[in-house]
Amino acid sequence: MTLHHRAAWRHAAALTAVLMILTACTSGGISRGKDDPLQTRATAEVKGLAEARAQAVATTVGIPLNDWRTNTSPCVGQRGEIADDGRWTLSGFAGIPVAPADQITTLHRIRDMWRRQGYEVTEDRIFADGTRGAVSMRDPGTGITVSLTTTRSRDSIALILASDCYLPAAGEDPANA
């Protein structure tokens, strides 16, 4: 991947992650109501859950994750406010190199794997050009959302992951890490 393509991919991934985090933290999620209390989770636990979801995608594709990374950040309210109770979310990113001719088939294989595993497929579409697409899922048990989108450069599939919002475990401050 060229430096120009990598920078464009990172900008797109960052924007998508921000939108997913805002949605996860402000919508109340599918598995719980907006007035339900947040779960308290350790950072390592959520990172493990996230990596397991990302690794399942890589295993299905048959290619290792490229540049897998995660970061934590504070949850943001509907008006952009940051809560003072330390609530946090995790996001993860990876690029999966897939030949252009195999990208749509790969997205369908991953979608089918998610359905077999009982995840809710929230997006499944082919873009207007017919050669690119996107598929997303939400794990109602953990609140983790995974989105896969073919890159504009057509050299890979971008994996973008976001968790629900959680309260920090004792002694942790992932919202400000």
Side-chain angles (χ1 to χ4, degrees):
M1 185 180 313
T2 68
L3 186 58
H4 174 70
H5 288 130
R6 183 171 295 212
W9 178 84
R10 286 187 178 162
H11 289 280
L15 177 61
T16 303
V18 168
L19 293 174
M20 289 174 63
I21 290 166
L22 287 172
T23 300
C25 293
T26 60
S27 70
I30 296 171
S31 62
R32 60 179 176 80
K34 70 177 185 141
D35 295 325
D36 291 346
L38 292 177
Q39 295 179 1
T40 299
R41 294 250 172 132
T43 307
E45 176 188 4
V46 177
K47 281 185 178 183
L49 292 168
E51 188 165 351
R53 302 307 177 275
Q55 191 57 52
V57 169
T59 299
T60 300
V61 176
I63 298 172
L65 292 174
N66 183 20
D67 297 329
W68 171 248
R69 61 197 176 283
T70 61
N71 64 296
T72 59
S73 60
C75 292
V76 179
Q78 291 178 337
R79 291 180 244 356
E81 69 277 8
I82 295 175
D84 58 6
D85 61 1
R87 64 185 66 197
W88 64 281
T89 187
L90 179 128
S91 54
F93 310 93
I96 303 172
V98 177
D102 298 331
Q103 290 182 356
I104 298 299
T105 304
T106 299
L107 290 177
H108 290 166
R109 279 196 347 242
I110 294 165
R111 175 205 58 206
D112 294 344
M113 175 214 35
W114 285 339
R115 285 185 177 153
R116 283 191 305 275
Q117 292 179 347
Y119 299 135
E120 175 189 0
V121 174
T122 58
E123 179 181 27
D124 181 15
R125 66 186 178 109
I126 305 299
F127 298 158
D129 68 6
T131 64
R132 297 178 52 240
V135 64
S136 300
M137 72 81 155
R138 186 169 196 293
D139 177 352
T142 64
I144 290 176
T145 303
V146 180
S147 293
L148 300 170
T149 304
T150 55
T151 60
R152 183 166 292 211
S153 62
R154 302 281 326 273
D155 60 353
S156 63
I157 294 175
L159 182 152
I160 303 162
L161 179 143
S163 77
D164 247 348
C165 289
Y166 303 107
L167 291 173
E172 291 189 346
D173 188 12
N176 296 303

